[in-house]
């Protein structure tokens, strides 16, 4: 059965691995590199985070690893649990299970991560994209307010973008539209302008009008800062399958 891998920050428990009993010898940076090398063999990784053990436990580290694919996370857990991997002693690897009462809103991936994910599954030359339409909507709102007795200051910057992603090998394409908005008081005032570079491909023959796009896809309105926001690791929300996640106790 095919697996659906959304272009979103992976927060699901079945895409999260908890790794502990990591040696205290290497530095956190060295462990990060070793973990990334070992687990990226099973699928594309979203993040690898290494933490020192609690003060009451033996010296050492534990890690939280996030995959985009739940299937890849399961393969990695089965293959790496109780294996030495890159150290002399075996490590423990478990899938996280989030408490049912805890829910977090999914965050969209930023542009660079979207391209990384597309390149991994479709290949570097296996997909392409083109901008159909890019428009600043905040100016339209200003013109609507010109007829009022008291001009209203610009409250926010709002942009609309229509984009099409194409998969030549499968002879298919998918249009998408979105809105992004940010309050003016959070925008840098020194520059006075926001530059948006638009580079349409030379081989564009037809451009879909708004009527063609309407009803095909859903519009998402998101704050601008969301796309630079790093997803937090909700460690307190996770427990482990088969065994409670706990660090070794002192003798």
């Amino acid at each position: 059965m095919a697996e659906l891998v959304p272009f979103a920050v992976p927060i699901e428990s079945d895409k999260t691995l908890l790794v502990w009993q990591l040696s205290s010898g290497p530095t956190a940076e060295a462990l990060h590199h070793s973990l990334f090398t070992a687990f990226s063999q099973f699928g594309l990784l979203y993040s690898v985070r290494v933490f020192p053990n609690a003060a009451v436990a033996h010296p050492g580290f534990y890690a939280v690893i996030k995959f985009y694919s739940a299937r890849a996370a399961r393969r990695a857990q089965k293959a790496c649990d109780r294996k030495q991997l890159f150290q002399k002693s075996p490590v423990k690897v478990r899938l996280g299970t989030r408490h049912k009462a805890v829910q977090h809103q999914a965050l969209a991936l930023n542009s660079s991560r979207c391209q990384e994910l597309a390149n991994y599954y479709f290949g570097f030359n296996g997909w392409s994209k083109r901008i159909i339409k890019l428009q600043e909507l905040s100016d339209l709102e200003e013109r609507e307010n010109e007829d009022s007795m008291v001009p209203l200051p610009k409250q926010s910057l709002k942009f609309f973008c229509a984009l099409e992603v194409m998969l030549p090998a499968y002879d298919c394409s998918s249009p998408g539209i979105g809105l992004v908005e940010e309050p003016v008081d959070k925008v840098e005032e020194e520059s006075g302008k926001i530059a948006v570079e638009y580079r349409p491909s030379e081989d564009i023959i037809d451009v879909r009008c708004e009527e063609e796009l309407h009803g095909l896809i859903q519009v998402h309105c998101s704050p601008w800062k969301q796309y630079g926001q790093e997803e937090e690791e909700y460690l307190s929300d996770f427990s482990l399958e088969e065994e409670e996640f706990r660090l070794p106790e002192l003798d």
Side-chain angles (χ1 to χ4, degrees):
M1 181 181 295
E3 179 186 9
L4 178 63
V5 179
F7 282 77
V9 174
I11 61 173
E12 298 88 348
S13 57
D14 59 354
K15 298 179 181 179
T16 303
L17 294 183
L18 302 179
V19 184
W20 72 102
Q21 294 191 357
L22 295 171
S23 173
S24 61
T27 62
E29 290 76 14
L31 283 173
H32 181 280
H33 175 75
S34 298
L35 288 165
F36 185 90
T37 301
F39 285 89
S40 61
Q41 301 177 46
F42 301 94
L44 185 63
L45 301 179
Y46 173 77
S47 65
V48 176
R49 301 186 68 180
V50 179
F51 305 90
N53 287 349
V56 296
H58 288 295
F61 297 88
Y62 66 98
V64 179
I65 300 175
K66 284 187 174 292
F67 285 83
Y68 287 100
S69 164
R71 184 176 298 173
R74 289 194 299 270
R75 287 200 306 265
Q77 190 275 326
K78 292 179 180 179
C80 298
D81 184 36
R82 302 184 186 277
K83 299 295 192 303
Q84 292 181 342
L85 298 182
F86 46 81
Q87 61 182 38
K88 295 181 179 179
S89 58
V91 301
K92 289 187 178 182
V93 184
R94 293 291 187 274
L95 281 169
T97 54
R98 190 183 298 278
H99 300 316
K100 295 181 179 179
V102 179
Q103 295 182 351
H104 296 289
Q105 182 181 3
L107 299 176
L109 292 174
N110 60 35
S111 176
S112 61
R113 287 192 180 271
C114 284
Q115 294 186 53
E116 179 186 40
L117 189 58
N119 289 338
Y120 182 84
Y121 284 102
F122 300 125
F124 183 78
N125 295 319
W127 67 284
S128 61
K129 67 179 186 297
R130 68 184 181 98
I131 294 177
I132 299 173
K133 186 172 184 179
L134 181 63
Q135 183 177 0
E136 182 181 357
L137 301 182
S138 46
D139 288 339
L140 297 178
E141 294 179 354
E142 282 187 345
R143 287 196 290 269
E144 290 177 358
N145 294 327
E146 287 179 355
D147 297 333
S148 62
M149 298 297 295
V150 180
L152 299 176
K154 182 184 290 187
Q155 300 295 323
S156 63
L157 290 174
K158 183 183 294 185
F159 289 88
F160 163 86
C161 182
L163 185 78
E164 184 176 31
V165 176
M166 294 159 283
L167 304 175
Y170 300 95
D171 193 25
C172 67
S173 62
S174 176
I177 58 177
L179 295 174
V180 64
E181 183 175 12
E182 180 70 4
V184 170
D185 58 0
K186 294 185 179 180
V187 178
E188 294 290 339
E189 296 181 357
E190 296 179 0
S191 62
K193 294 181 179 180
I194 292 182
V196 179
E197 187 175 11
Y198 176 29
R199 293 182 178 180
S201 59
E202 296 179 358
D203 57 348
I204 292 181
I205 299 176
D206 61 321
V207 176
R208 298 176 185 269
C209 63
E210 288 125 8
E211 288 77 11
E212 292 181 275
L213 291 173
H214 182 70
L216 291 178
I217 38 202
Q218 182 178 359
V219 177
H220 296 279
C221 187
S222 306
W224 188 272
K225 63 181 179 180
Q226 171 180 317
Y227 298 93
Q229 177 182 353
E230 287 296 328
E231 170 263 356
E232 296 180 356
E233 305 288 352
Y234 301 102
L235 294 177
S236 60
D237 299 340
F238 286 96
S239 60
L240 288 171
E241 292 182 348
E242 302 176 1
E243 180 175 348
E244 285 295 324
F245 174 53
R246 56 179 181 275
L247 299 176
E249 298 180 355
L250 291 175
D251 297 331

